[in-house]
Amino acid sequence: MSLPFWSSDVCLVAAQAATVALPAAPRLRLLDRLRSGWWALVPLGSIVVVIFGIQAASQSANALTYLALIAVPPLAAGALGGFARGGRPLHALAVVPLFALAWADRHGLAGEAAGIALSMLACVTLGVLLAKVAPLNWLKVGIVLMAIGDTILVVAQQLQAPNNALNAAAPGLGLPQLQRELFGSAVMGFGDIFIAAVFGAVLAAEGRRLGGPARLTFLFALLFDLLFFTVDLLPATVPVALALIVTERPWEWVSREGRAARRGRGQWWPSPARASSTARSPSSARPARAPTEAP
């Protein structure tokens, strides 16, 4: 039985917010040599490359569905194995029943929930790895840029056609479509979960608590979705960026800089943090949220 859109939407918003609270901060010294500020462009680049790639090549959507099918389960196992909070190597085996359920009940709520869980965990692994190789302050800027880019594409109406193509793409043999998050009558893009995981990974790398920012993301997403009463397409990356901005309180940076400047040692930008060791689119007749895909 299909859920109404708003019930489905709230469930997806809750999944996105929960992803913020999942990342851990494991030590990965092997990645130290890969550290670079250029990695901070990955969130924004994931939108541009995927969307315009689909527009340029009709087969890109089909390629992405197979890429997700191959990549998501091992990435999810990585999260359960240690990249997510409470992860243990033995927990990685839980990926097998989750994938089996997502395949066997592909059109049921239980199977859809299993597919979303796999994507959440996969995004946690990607987010943690990204937080290990990018300067954290730069990565925060990358999250905001991703939301801005997502919004620009939505306003310019560049996402509808790629959204439809990506949602329609499906692997053979009835295998699950892990390139987007479907629950009931609502769909969220893989990239919308990815940006939440990156946000959580940055906070975890800084040794900060994740529960408050996760709840803030959920609140902003619920309020943001009220716009569905007037529009039928919304970028799901925006609530995450807003939660980041409120969590960071940049207005306090300016205040601190002003006080420090009077003492002769101020700087506008916070000291660089160490590099740590688009939408929902329900079925055609329902409101939609723009998909944003991670590579």
PDB file of all heavy atoms in Angstrom, residues 67-83:
ATOM      1  N   LEU A  67      26.129   1.690 -11.575  1.00  0.00           N
ATOM      2  CA  LEU A  67      27.207   2.126 -10.695  1.00  0.00           C
ATOM      3  C   LEU A  67      26.752   2.096  -9.241  1.00  0.00           C
ATOM      4  O   LEU A  67      27.470   1.619  -8.354  1.00  0.00           O
ATOM      5  CB  LEU A  67      27.663   3.533 -11.076  1.00  0.00           C
ATOM      6  CG  LEU A  67      28.728   4.169 -10.167  1.00  0.00           C
ATOM      7  CD1 LEU A  67      30.010   3.337 -10.181  1.00  0.00           C
ATOM      8  CD2 LEU A  67      29.005   5.610 -10.606  1.00  0.00           C
ATOM      9  N   ALA A  68      25.549   2.600  -8.986  1.00  0.00           N
ATOM     10  CA  ALA A  68      25.020   2.589  -7.621  1.00  0.00           C
ATOM     11  C   ALA A  68      24.810   1.163  -7.135  1.00  0.00           C
ATOM     12  O   ALA A  68      25.090   0.842  -5.972  1.00  0.00           O
ATOM     13  CB  ALA A  68      23.701   3.362  -7.578  1.00  0.00           C
ATOM     14  N   LEU A  69      24.322   0.301  -8.006  1.00  0.00           N
ATOM     15  CA  LEU A  69      24.084  -1.087  -7.629  1.00  0.00           C
ATOM     16  C   LEU A  69      25.371  -1.782  -7.198  1.00  0.00           C
ATOM     17  O   LEU A  69      25.381  -2.586  -6.261  1.00  0.00           O
ATOM     18  CB  LEU A  69      23.455  -1.830  -8.812  1.00  0.00           C
ATOM     19  CG  LEU A  69      23.042  -3.278  -8.576  1.00  0.00           C
ATOM     20  CD1 LEU A  69      21.878  -3.355  -7.591  1.00  0.00           C
ATOM     21  CD2 LEU A  69      22.661  -3.942  -9.906  1.00  0.00           C
ATOM     22  N   ILE A  70      26.470  -1.460  -7.875  1.00  0.00           N
ATOM     23  CA  ILE A  70      27.758  -2.077  -7.565  1.00  0.00           C
ATOM     24  C   ILE A  70      28.428  -1.424  -6.360  1.00  0.00           C
ATOM     25  O   ILE A  70      29.025  -2.101  -5.521  1.00  0.00           O
ATOM     26  CB  ILE A  70      28.682  -1.997  -8.794  1.00  0.00           C
ATOM     27  CG1 ILE A  70      28.114  -2.841  -9.947  1.00  0.00           C
ATOM     28  CG2 ILE A  70      30.094  -2.453  -8.442  1.00  0.00           C
ATOM     29  CD1 ILE A  70      28.838  -2.638 -11.263  1.00  0.00           C
ATOM     30  N   ALA A  71      28.329  -0.090  -6.252  1.00  0.00           N
ATOM     31  CA  ALA A  71      29.105   0.635  -5.248  1.00  0.00           C
ATOM     32  C   ALA A  71      28.426   0.740  -3.891  1.00  0.00           C
ATOM     33  O   ALA A  71      29.100   0.731  -2.859  1.00  0.00           O
ATOM     34  CB  ALA A  71      29.422   2.043  -5.770  1.00  0.00           C
ATOM     35  N   VAL A  72      27.105   0.866  -3.875  1.00  0.00           N
ATOM     36  CA  VAL A  72      26.416   1.142  -2.609  1.00  0.00           C
ATOM     37  C   VAL A  72      26.585   0.021  -1.578  1.00  0.00           C
ATOM     38  O   VAL A  72      26.901   0.300  -0.406  1.00  0.00           O
ATOM     39  CB  VAL A  72      24.925   1.449  -2.858  1.00  0.00           C
ATOM     40  CG1 VAL A  72      24.115   1.382  -1.560  1.00  0.00           C
ATOM     41  CG2 VAL A  72      24.783   2.837  -3.483  1.00  0.00           C
ATOM     42  N   PRO A  73      26.388  -1.258  -1.923  1.00  0.00           N
ATOM     43  CA  PRO A  73      26.511  -2.296  -0.879  1.00  0.00           C
ATOM     44  C   PRO A  73      27.886  -2.339  -0.197  1.00  0.00           C
ATOM     45  O   PRO A  73      27.949  -2.356   1.039  1.00  0.00           O
ATOM     46  CB  PRO A  73      26.205  -3.584  -1.644  1.00  0.00           C
ATOM     47  CG  PRO A  73      25.288  -3.149  -2.744  1.00  0.00           C
ATOM     48  CD  PRO A  73      25.839  -1.828  -3.176  1.00  0.00           C
ATOM     49  N   PRO A  74      29.013  -2.329  -0.928  1.00  0.00           N
ATOM     50  CA  PRO A  74      30.303  -2.339  -0.209  1.00  0.00           C
ATOM     51  C   PRO A  74      30.551  -1.063   0.586  1.00  0.00           C
ATOM     52  O   PRO A  74      31.166  -1.107   1.665  1.00  0.00           O
ATOM     53  CB  PRO A  74      31.342  -2.520  -1.322  1.00  0.00           C
ATOM     54  CG  PRO A  74      30.647  -2.161  -2.584  1.00  0.00           C
ATOM     55  CD  PRO A  74      29.212  -2.494  -2.390  1.00  0.00           C
ATOM     56  N   LEU A  75      30.082   0.069   0.083  1.00  0.00           N
ATOM     57  CA  LEU A  75      30.227   1.304   0.844  1.00  0.00           C
ATOM     58  C   LEU A  75      29.400   1.250   2.125  1.00  0.00           C
ATOM     59  O   LEU A  75      29.844   1.702   3.190  1.00  0.00           O
ATOM     60  CB  LEU A  75      29.801   2.506  -0.002  1.00  0.00           C
ATOM     61  CG  LEU A  75      30.747   2.908  -1.138  1.00  0.00           C
ATOM     62  CD1 LEU A  75      30.113   3.969  -2.014  1.00  0.00           C
ATOM     63  CD2 LEU A  75      32.084   3.410  -0.582  1.00  0.00           C
ATOM     64  N   ALA A  76      28.205   0.685   2.026  1.00  0.00           N
ATOM     65  CA  ALA A  76      27.367   0.520   3.213  1.00  0.00           C
ATOM     66  C   ALA A  76      28.034  -0.414   4.214  1.00  0.00           C
ATOM     67  O   ALA A  76      27.987  -0.193   5.430  1.00  0.00           O
ATOM     68  CB  ALA A  76      25.995  -0.011   2.815  1.00  0.00           C
ATOM     69  N   ALA A  77      28.676  -1.472   3.715  1.00  0.00           N
ATOM     70  CA  ALA A  77      29.397  -2.391   4.598  1.00  0.00           C
ATOM     71  C   ALA A  77      30.530  -1.669   5.320  1.00  0.00           C
ATOM     72  O   ALA A  77      30.818  -1.936   6.497  1.00  0.00           O
ATOM     73  CB  ALA A  77      29.949  -3.571   3.792  1.00  0.00           C
ATOM     74  N   GLY A  78      31.181  -0.735   4.622  1.00  0.00           N
ATOM     75  CA  GLY A  78      32.237   0.043   5.252  1.00  0.00           C
ATOM     76  C   GLY A  78      31.721   0.864   6.419  1.00  0.00           C
ATOM     77  O   GLY A  78      32.384   0.984   7.454  1.00  0.00           O
ATOM     78  N   ALA A  79      30.533   1.441   6.271  1.00  0.00           N
ATOM     79  CA  ALA A  79      29.945   2.214   7.369  1.00  0.00           C
ATOM     80  C   ALA A  79      29.625   1.316   8.556  1.00  0.00           C
ATOM     81  O   ALA A  79      29.959   1.636   9.704  1.00  0.00           O
ATOM     82  CB  ALA A  79      28.686   2.931   6.887  1.00  0.00           C
ATOM     83  N   LEU A  80      28.994   0.185   8.292  1.00  0.00           N
ATOM     84  CA  LEU A  80      28.668  -0.732   9.374  1.00  0.00           C
ATOM     85  C   LEU A  80      29.927  -1.316  10.001  1.00  0.00           C
ATOM     86  O   LEU A  80      29.929  -1.699  11.176  1.00  0.00           O
ATOM     87  CB  LEU A  80      27.782  -1.862   8.846  1.00  0.00           C
ATOM     88  CG  LEU A  80      26.358  -1.458   8.454  1.00  0.00           C
ATOM     89  CD1 LEU A  80      25.646  -2.619   7.769  1.00  0.00           C
ATOM     90  CD2 LEU A  80      25.569  -1.000   9.680  1.00  0.00           C
ATOM     91  N   GLY A  81      31.002  -1.380   9.226  1.00  0.00           N
ATOM     92  CA  GLY A  81      32.247  -1.939   9.727  1.00  0.00           C
ATOM     93  C   GLY A  81      33.077  -0.990  10.566  1.00  0.00           C
ATOM     94  O   GLY A  81      34.062  -1.411  11.166  1.00  0.00           O
ATOM     95  N   GLY A  82      32.720   0.297  10.613  1.00  0.00           N
ATOM     96  CA  GLY A  82      33.489   1.208  11.450  1.00  0.00           C
ATOM     97  C   GLY A  82      33.372   2.681  11.124  1.00  0.00           C
ATOM     98  O   GLY A  82      33.696   3.524  11.953  1.00  0.00           O
ATOM     99  N   PHE A  83      32.907   3.037   9.925  1.00  0.00           N
ATOM    100  CA  PHE A  83      32.800   4.449   9.570  1.00  0.00           C
ATOM    101  C   PHE A  83      31.572   5.109  10.188  1.00  0.00           C
ATOM    102  O   PHE A  83      31.510   6.335  10.273  1.00  0.00           O
ATOM    103  CB  PHE A  83      32.767   4.623   8.048  1.00  0.00           C
ATOM    104  CG  PHE A  83      34.085   4.315   7.389  1.00  0.00           C
ATOM    105  CD1 PHE A  83      34.133   3.915   6.065  1.00  0.00           C
ATOM    106  CD2 PHE A  83      35.269   4.439   8.090  1.00  0.00           C
ATOM    107  CE1 PHE A  83      35.347   3.642   5.448  1.00  0.00           C
ATOM    108  CE2 PHE A  83      36.490   4.164   7.493  1.00  0.00           C
ATOM    109  CZ  PHE A  83      36.532   3.766   6.166  1.00  0.00           C
TER     110      PHE A  83
END
